[in-house]
Amino acid sequence: MIITQRLILRELCEDDFEAEYAVLSDTAIMQYYPYSFDEARVKAWISRNIERYQNDGFGLWAVVVKETGEMIGDCGLTMQKINGRIQPEIGYHIRRSHQRNGYAKEAASAVRSWAFEHTPYQVLYSYMNAENTASRATAKSIGMRHLLDYVNEEKILTSVYAIKKEDWIMTDVRIIKLKDRPELKEQAAIWFHEKWGVPVSAYLDSMNTSLCGDQIQEWYLCVSGDRIIAGMGEIQNDFHNRKDLSPNICAVYTEPEYRCMGIAGKLLNFVVEDNHARGISPLYLVTDHVGFYERYGWEFLCMVQGDDEPDMTRMYIHR
């Protein structure tokens, strides 16, 4: 089940026959199909999608309005063999009586996010009659891009839209300063603790200092929805012997599934720009990585001795 602001998307069941028959018989939908949805076809349609859900854990969901409990359409992710290839497709139908209310966008957007979060697919597709301007608009509204048009086996000019996971992530990702979202303090402290093993209390102390107006200490987060997917901090000294090289960017981390998408680079650039706006430059950073920070304007400066560490580590500067 998927729950959005106004809708509930739940598994189709046999009891949905009459409502789904009304959806698929809607003249606004039927004008784009070369056949009619008689009772046998609708029953087969529902049975097929129930089987898909049982086998794959996903399929077509019934779109139900929260407020009234009325089923107004269907939307889901199915594996379709289209143009000779098996591909994950987002499909949606909304009854004419409930169109132009943003329901198709809300449902399709939820399915898109669910698919990228719960399946291994890196690209999702949507296929539609090229004359179906409403369906094309819905695809665009959830970030899909038009790939091509082709004539399918039923001699219908078909438009193909697609969205990549990395593009979805970047449109859904927001960079924030903890000072602007202080209610995330505890969540952020626990998240950084899980990544670096530093006590939660130490992060909370630093974050509280930041929230009390300290001009150096800052904490930055990348969030996708309610989830923290990347972050870093800014402190006076990142536990090394060069106290004169300050402030330091610290605790740089990106969740593994969100790496190689440019997120860390965007966050680093955001931090640099934020500091420049506050008149703070240069910035320093200690790391064992070679070749990564150079991409974003950082330069190797010198070796420093970490507190209670036997080996020297690299210090970088951003001027």
Side-chain angles (χ1 to χ4, degrees):
M1 180 182 293
I2 304 174
I3 300 176
T4 69
Q5 183 177 356
R6 297 180 296 170
L7 303 172
I8 296 173
L9 278 67
R10 59 163 175 76
E11 181 185 354
L12 274 172
C13 63
E14 299 289 351
D15 292 340
D16 292 322
F17 167 73
E18 289 187 6
E20 184 69 351
Y21 184 73
V23 169
L24 296 176
S25 299
D26 192 298
T27 55
I29 296 171
M30 281 309 308
Q31 63 180 307
Y32 300 112
Y33 287 90
Y35 45 78
S36 61
F37 281 95
D38 56 25
E39 292 189 6
R41 187 181 288 273
V42 173
K43 287 181 178 178
W45 171 275
I46 292 177
S47 296
R48 188 162 61 249
N49 281 288
I50 291 174
E51 183 178 355
R52 283 173 178 161
Y53 195 95
Q54 292 172 341
N55 292 339
D56 303 324
F58 58 83
L60 209 62
W61 285 279
V63 176
V64 178
V65 179
K66 273 185 184 178
E67 187 176 349
T68 64
E70 179 185 5
M71 180 178 161
I72 63 168
D74 60 58
C75 184
L77 179 72
T78 59
M79 299 302 296
Q80 303 285 6
K81 184 175 183 180
I82 302 176
N83 211 20
R85 298 175 60 190
I86 301 294
Q87 298 169 327
E89 181 193 12
I90 296 177
Y92 40 86
H93 304 99
I94 300 294
R95 293 193 65 177
R96 180 169 51 178
S97 57
H98 287 78
Q99 291 178 2
R100 302 185 183 277
N101 289 314
Y103 288 133
K105 176 182 177 181
E106 188 171 333
S109 177
V111 170
R112 173 210 60 193
S113 299
W114 179 92
F116 281 137
E117 290 171 353
H118 297 281
T119 75
Y121 304 119
Q122 300 299 304
V123 184
L124 302 176
Y125 297 88
S126 191
Y127 294 76
M128 64 211 65
N129 188 310
E131 297 179 359
N132 191 341
T133 55
S135 191
R136 291 169 66 115
T138 297
K140 291 179 183 178
S141 73
I142 66 169
M144 292 186 135
R145 298 180 181 179
H146 180 240
L147 292 185
L148 56 90
D149 293 328
Y150 75 99
V151 177
N152 67 12
E153 297 174 355
E154 295 164 336
K155 309 301 181 185
I156 297 173
L157 182 63
T158 302
S159 293
V160 183
Y161 284 76
I163 183 171
K164 296 180 180 179
K165 183 175 183 177
E166 60 191 71
D167 293 334
W168 163 72
I169 288 172
M170 295 314 300
T171 58
D172 193 51
V173 163
R174 291 171 292 116
I175 297 175
I176 59 175
K177 294 172 64 172
L178 188 63
K179 281 182 178 177
D180 297 328
R181 293 288 304 278
E183 70 275 12
L184 296 177
K185 179 181 64 176
E186 284 77 14
Q187 179 185 352
I190 293 171
W191 185 84
F192 281 107
H193 160 71
E194 291 173 345
K195 310 312 172 189
W196 296 106
V198 176
V200 172
S201 59
Y203 286 116
L204 285 174
D205 287 344
S206 176
M207 291 173 183
N208 284 328
T209 300
S210 171
L211 295 174
C212 287
D214 187 279
Q215 294 303 303
I216 293 299
Q217 299 201 62
E218 292 279 4
W219 291 90
Y220 302 86
L221 305 171
C222 260
V223 296
S224 176
D226 296 327
R227 182 186 179 194
I228 299 172
I229 62 170
M232 62 184 65
E234 180 180 339
I235 57 178
Q236 289 282 358
N237 179 272
D238 195 12
F239 308 104
H240 58 78
N241 64 334
R242 291 295 303 271
K243 310 302 181 185
D244 57 314
L245 303 180
S246 180
N248 290 186
I249 302 304
C250 67
V252 180
Y253 192 90
T254 302
E255 294 284 6
E257 64 267 36
Y258 290 94
R259 293 174 186 171
C260 301
M261 297 179 185
I263 290 175
K266 289 181 181 294
L267 186 52
L268 283 165
N269 290 339
F270 181 93
V271 171
V272 169
E273 291 171 6
D274 179 60
N275 276 273
H276 281 174
R278 294 186 287 123
I280 300 174
S281 181
L283 298 174
Y284 301 90
L285 181 150
V286 292
T287 181
D288 292 327
H289 288 288
V290 178
F292 176 76
Y293 292 97
E294 288 87 340
R295 304 178 201 170
Y296 305 104
W298 293 78
E299 306 169 37
F300 172 72
L301 179 64
C302 62
M303 301 299 290
V304 298
Q305 183 68 56
D307 296 350
D308 301 321
E309 293 184 4
D311 300 321
M312 303 282 279
T313 189
R314 298 168 66 86
M315 169 67 77
Y316 279 75
I317 184 173
H318 195 291
R319 306 179 193 276

